Amino acid sequence: MTKQVVVESAAEAYLELLAARGVEYLFANAGTDFAPLLEAYARRQAQGQPLPRPITVPHEITATAMAYGYTMVTGRPQVVMVHVIVGAANALGGIINAARANVPILFTAGRTPLTEAGSRASRNVHIHWAQESFDQAGMAREFVKWDYELKNFDQLETVVDRALALAQAEPQGPVYLTLPREVLAERHEHFEYADPTRAPRPSPSLPAPEAVAEAARLLAGARNPIIIAKASGRDPKAVPTLERLAEALGAPVFDQNHLYVNFPQNHPLHMGFDAAPHLEAADVLLVVESDVPWFPNVKSPRPEAKVIQVAVDPLFSRYPIRSFPADVALAGTPRLTLEALAAASTPLVDAKAVAERRRRWETEHARLREAWAAKARAVQSDRPLDMAWVSRCLGEVLDDRTIVVNEYDLDPTQACFRVPGSFFTTSAAGGLGWGLGAALGAKLAAPDKTVIATVGDGSYIFGVPIAAHFVSRAAQLPILFVVFNNQAWNAVKRATLSVTPDGWAARTGVPLYDLDPSPDYEMICRAAGGHGERVEDPEALPEALARALKVVTEERRQALLNVICKKP
Ligand SMILES: Cc1ncc(C[n+]2csc(CCOP(=O)(O)OP(=O)(O)O)c2C)c(N)n1
């Protein structure tokens, strides 16, 4: 059906179309390039017309992370808009994160006015000359699936539909659209577009039946199959299918470097977070949405072990180097692939062998849990606090309506995530500064849930805290921030000592890892109208958590706990 609407400008037609295509939010960090868009927003707001809700986000790191967080919870892509080359440069870390995590975003930036005169939108401030670049999309091109510049009004529908379709086609990821001020400012009276869109939306896909049969034969014939999963829980419906497959095989699931809840942690076949100790004994390995199933420089499976890789893109084609072998590579929608594998292997397995394996792994599951609990008990009185104890206390307050967004330092062995979509952590790209914004985006997506952001003190600073606390208050997104404050970038120290364990740095002290003196992070949250507490006593932590959660859920204000942890 064709729809015709009255508009004043191309910018207004653009907003009309975004709203019609289901875009709910525009996370924006504005500049002079936004002028026609803001005029169009004002007109449509005054007239009560549909719009993506604009969210003012005072840093691009936070804006991209919010869009990421919203989409990781809902699956629905949103728009980020930033100011020309400079805003795009600030946003890029977030775009790299989204690209590596297959999170679709319509990333947009204004172009500085292209013309020196001749349009009402032509250059009129000094920055307009210096902010032009030869190839604005160039800086982002490696990390977006598609980029384009809106050249004229006539192509608006084609461009927006293509951008949204490509972002959502698997493997999903961000796309980049640049919007020149003159084009946005063009006067128009009518805009006509197809509603609903007829842009192609590729369906979920299944690997060839012969390939599934071959993989099922390998799995069913295995003596000691193991499953390594990293990101299949991006699709919450893939969680029960992975359960069915693991149960059919009596195979353990290692939630290794997991970005999502891939498998319920209380399932007896959940075998923790590290497959390395079991690699040598495995004869068939099922690697599910895992870019790095082991470190070849540390430990690999036996050369004769068979490897099956299941992923949307088992080659991880955008990685320059990745050489993990596959005897069978099943490309397609993981949920469907896992379902097909479960169906094909169930009739082939030896039920007695499966039951025996399962019993063996269940014992190991129980042993691991006991060891993890003992680890927390051993440090429960330590002061400064041990991160295992902090994680255990946090684990205790989780319920089925809590979402945790973790950017460093929550120890997953100390909490039990059961519900698909209740735990998220940083993209494989590891661009720090994601956690605070992603948690805000998650809260926007799931307003009835309790959202907790767990971050290291380093990650907290990277997350542009003032921008995050501002948005939390301004957009009424009350969440709990827990800062695991070890006054250090421990990851940097660990990395140095892992490369040269007995070198100079080990003997004389590692440079460039210290975050001492530590600011009073709780005051930053208080400055934005939130509740803030410093926690130094391990016994006081459970009550501090309860107080902070009460503020978040009942007073609907943000809260921050600055938990003073052992310095490494
Ligand atoms: C944008 C960016 N810059 C630098 C790094 C390198 N880096 C990885 S972890 C880390 C430290 C994180 O510190 P914190 O959150 O306090 O956690 P901790 O390492 O102390 O456990 C740094 C600097 C990165 N991943 N991303």
Side-chain angles (χ1 to χ4, degrees):
M1 215 174 66
T2 302
K3 190 168 173 186
Q4 201 190 63
V5 291
V6 175
V7 294
E8 270 192 355
S9 65
E12 201 188 335
Y14 174 61
L15 293 178
E16 160 82 22
L17 188 61
L18 290 179
R21 296 306 187 237
V23 173
E24 297 145 285
Y25 292 98
L26 183 130
F27 300 97
N29 192 293
T32 55
D33 46 346
F34 279 55
L37 199 79
L38 301 190
E39 171 62 17
Y41 252 113
R43 177 174 132 93
R44 290 178 74 82
Q45 275 168 337
Q47 300 187 343
Q49 284 160 321
L51 282 166
R53 183 177 149 201
I55 308 271
T56 307
V57 191
H59 199 286
E60 295 82 358
I61 283 284
T62 319
T64 48
M66 282 190 75
Y68 182 134
Y70 188 90
T71 303
M72 80 190 177
V73 171
T74 62
R76 300 193 294 273
Q78 305 301 317
V79 173
V80 171
M81 181 154 174
V82 298
H83 172 57
V84 301
I85 45 174
V86 287
N90 277 358
L92 208 48
I95 294 302
I96 292 171
N97 278 340
R100 293 302 196 224
N102 300 123
V103 173
I105 294 177
L106 174 49
F107 173 48
T108 67
R111 279 294 304 267
T112 200
L114 306 175
T115 54
E116 294 182 291
S119 158
R120 62 178 172 150
S122 293
R123 299 179 179 187
N124 61 353
V125 284
H126 68 101
I127 50 169
H128 287 159
W129 279 260
Q131 284 189 338
E132 186 171 18
S133 72
F134 290 107
D135 179 12
Q136 183 166 322
M139 72 170 100
R141 189 161 292 130
E142 185 171 348
F143 298 99
V144 293
K145 293 178 66 182
W146 169 93
D147 65 86
Y148 199 71
E149 179 153 307
L150 182 67
K151 299 194 173 73
N152 58 56
F153 178 73
D154 291 343
Q155 64 173 178
L156 181 63
E157 182 182 2
T158 304
V159 167
V160 168
D161 279 356
R162 187 156 174 73
L164 288 170
L166 279 164
Q168 292 173 88
E170 294 286 4
Q172 297 188 334
V175 293
Y176 186 29
L177 176 63
T178 53
L179 300 160
R181 192 160 90 157
E182 291 91 333
V183 179
L184 288 180
E186 272 175 33
R187 290 186 208 275
H188 291 276
E189 290 178 359
H190 298 284
F191 175 50
E192 221 179 76
Y193 64 98
D195 189 27
T197 175
R198 295 192 62 209
R201 299 276 303 269
S203 65
S205 62
L206 254 177
E210 313 81 75
V212 173
E214 169 66 3
R217 196 185 56 70
L218 288 173
L219 285 167
R223 229 180 1 86
N224 194 14
I226 68 170
I227 301 173
I228 298 174
K230 175 167 177 178
S232 46
R234 179 167 72 96
D235 174 1
K237 293 202 205 93
V239 177
T241 56
L242 186 56
E243 275 181 72
R244 273 200 289 287
L245 179 61
E247 285 166 9
L249 301 170
V253 176
F254 296 93
D255 222 355
Q256 194 170 264
N257 280 88
H258 61 313
L259 303 189
Y260 306 94
V261 174
N262 299 310
F263 199 74
Q265 278 180 232
N266 61 338
H267 190 291
L269 287 170
H270 188 283
M271 227 43 67
F273 307 92
D274 183 12
H278 304 277
L279 287 176
E280 264 169 40
D283 55 351
V284 177
L285 295 94
L286 179 67
V287 173
V288 185
E289 279 295 355
S290 176
D291 55 350
V292 185
W294 57 84
F295 302 137
N297 199 28
V298 179
K299 191 181 254 188
S300 299
R302 279 178 288 136
E304 65 275 20
K306 300 288 183 201
V307 178
I308 301 159
Q309 294 199 38
V310 168
V312 164
D313 170 18
L315 277 173
F316 290 81
S317 322
R318 299 299 303 152
Y319 287 20
I321 288 291
R322 178 184 184 271
S323 63
F324 299 101
D327 298 283
V328 187
L330 300 176
T333 308
R335 160 175 53 90
L336 300 181
T337 306
L338 295 170
E339 214 165 82
L341 273 178
S345 45
T346 301
L348 304 180
V349 294
D350 170 350
K352 200 163 145 256
V354 167
E356 245 166 53
R357 263 202 305 269
R358 184 170 171 138
R359 268 196 301 281
R360 179 159 62 80
W361 285 117
E362 281 181 6
T363 309
E364 174 64 4
H365 171 93
R367 190 193 67 78
L368 279 172
R369 266 66 195 169
E370 187 35 53
W372 295 340
K375 175 172 144 193
R377 274 198 305 275
V379 295
Q380 66 185 7
S381 307
D382 289 8
R383 187 181 171 137
L385 281 80
D386 192 285
M387 287 184 180
W389 176 243
V390 182
S391 304
R392 172 66 52 161
C393 293
L394 255 161
E396 297 294 327
V397 301
L398 304 180
D399 60 23
D400 288 355
R401 304 206 49 75
T402 305
I403 293 177
V404 172
V405 177
N406 176 46
E407 184 174 33
Y408 266 95
D409 292 333
L410 180 76
D411 178 345
T413 65
Q414 301 300 329
C416 185
F417 292 96
R418 298 170 262 256
V419 182
S422 62
F423 171 83
F424 300 92
T425 191
T426 327
S427 156
L432 289 179
W434 166 88
L436 309 185
L440 291 168
K443 180 68 182 173
L444 192 62
D448 298 337
K449 299 217 168 150
T450 306
V451 176
I452 304 179
T454 53
V455 289
D457 49 335
S459 306
Y460 179 73
I461 298 175
F462 274 103
V464 197
I466 293 188
H469 291 304
F470 166 83
V471 176
S472 176
R473 173 151 76 171
Q476 291 164 16
L477 300 171
I479 63 178
L480 169 60
F481 302 91
V482 179
V483 182
F484 287 61
N485 183 356
N486 62 359
Q487 307 101 64
W489 289 337
N490 190 24
V492 172
K493 180 172 184 176
R494 258 199 323 264
T496 308
L497 300 182
S498 77
V499 176
T500 39
D502 42 17
W504 283 94
R507 289 194 301 275
T508 62
V510 179
L512 286 180
Y513 94 104
D514 208 325
L515 290 184
D516 221 353
S518 176
D520 296 333
Y521 297 116
E522 67 279 15
M523 306 292 269
I524 305 177
C525 183
R526 279 196 224 159
H531 166 89
E533 277 190 55
R534 180 185 179 90
V535 182
E536 291 180 279
D537 174 1
E539 271 179 39
L541 180 57
E543 277 177 22
L545 275 168
R547 264 193 307 279
L549 281 170
K550 200 156 175 249
V551 168
V552 168
T553 53
E554 292 180 15
E555 295 177 33
R556 303 198 58 73
R557 277 193 306 136
Q558 58 186 315
L560 183 146
L561 295 183
N562 176 13
V563 185
I564 309 303
C565 298
K566 290 173 194 164
K567 185 168 178 178

